[in-house]
């Protein structure tokens, strides 16, 4: 289709693969730019919905729990499924070009949740307390609030250095 053609136009010249030095690394094809902007616009709602479902959907004996600790009751497979779903917030942070320190913290939250959840029974109780998805939602939301939203595709740095506004100066 036309969108597939526009995606590869910037990668080749005259049917021949372009050399890396010939490609403008700051160029984002319109079809991808529109998708990035839509992803950016819906990120907070997506993060709130996902963290609610995984960490705070139900109230049991006064404690809010979600599907994450419930999935954890299924040995190994449940934790793998929960990590895969939780990784969607992490990947969104990467796509939205969050600072490296924030992306690292999001990954650490998922890894900690997975590690804690791997301990039978106790891990499921700790899953109810740790709530890594709520923490990752808060990281996305705080970054958006501090920077007036997420950057539009045209504002993203395509050089792999991460977004501007890193509080610790790591990127």
């Amino acid at each position: 289709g036309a969108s597939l053609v526009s995606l590869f136009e910037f990668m080749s010249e005259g049917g021949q693969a372009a050399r890396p030095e010939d490609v403008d690394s700051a160029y984002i094809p319109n079809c991808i730019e529109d998708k990035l902007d839509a992803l950016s616009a819906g990120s907070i709602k997506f993060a709130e919905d996902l963290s609610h479902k995984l960490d705070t959907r139900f109230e049991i004996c006064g404690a809010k729990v979600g599907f994450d600790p419930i999935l954890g009751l299924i040995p190994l497979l449940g934790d793998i499924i929960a990590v895969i779903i939780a990784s969607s917030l992490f990947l969104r942070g990467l796509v939205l070009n969050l600072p490296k320190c924030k992306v690292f913290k999001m990954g650490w939250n998922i890894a900690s949740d997975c590690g804690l959840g791997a301990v039978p029974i106790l891990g499921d109780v700790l899953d109810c307390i740790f709530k890594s998805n709520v923490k990752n939602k808060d990281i996305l939301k705080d970054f958006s609030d501090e920077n007036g939203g997420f950057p539009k595709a045209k504002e993203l740095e395509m050089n792999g250095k991460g977004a501007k506004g890193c509080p610790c100066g790591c990127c």
Side-chain angles (χ1 to χ4, degrees), residues 70-85:
I70 294 169
L71 283 169
L73 295 173
I74 304 168
L76 189 62
L77 182 62
D79 290 319
I80 291 171
I81 292 169
V83 166
I84 290 170
I85 296 169

Side-chain angles (χ1 to χ4, degrees), residues 42-52 89 92 133 136-138 140-141:
S43 288
I44 297 301
K45 173 100 173 87
F46 173 81
E48 288 171 345
D49 290 347
L50 186 67
S51 66
H52 173 70
L89 287 179
R92 197 162 280 235
N133 301 294
N136 286 344
K137 180 245 333 173
D138 290 343
L140 284 171
K141 189 166 178 5

Side-chain angles (χ1 to χ4, degrees), residues 51-142:
S51 66
H52 173 70
K53 289 174 185 168
L54 289 176
D55 287 343
T56 61
R57 176 93 161 89
F58 311 105
E59 190 166 329
I60 300 173
C61 300
K64 292 194 174 209
V65 298
F67 288 109
D68 187 5
I70 294 169
L71 283 169
L73 295 173
I74 304 168
L76 189 62
L77 182 62
D79 290 319
I80 291 171
I81 292 169
V83 166
I84 290 170
I85 296 169
S87 294
S88 64
L89 287 179
F90 174 80
L91 292 173
R92 197 162 280 235
L94 286 174
V95 169
L96 293 172
N97 216 16
L98 260 62
K100 292 174 190 171
C101 61
K102 293 187 182 299
V103 172
F104 176 80
K105 186 159 184 152
M106 291 175 77
W108 179 258
N109 288 338
I110 293 170
S112 299
D113 186 46
C114 181
L116 292 172
V119 179
I121 311 298
L122 177 62
D124 299 316
V125 172
L126 293 173
D127 249 352
C128 295
I129 297 167
F130 188 67
K131 300 188 187 314
S132 67
N133 301 294
V134 169
K135 290 179 180 189
N136 286 344
K137 180 245 333 173
D138 290 343
I139 290 171
L140 284 171
K141 189 166 178 5
D142 290 347

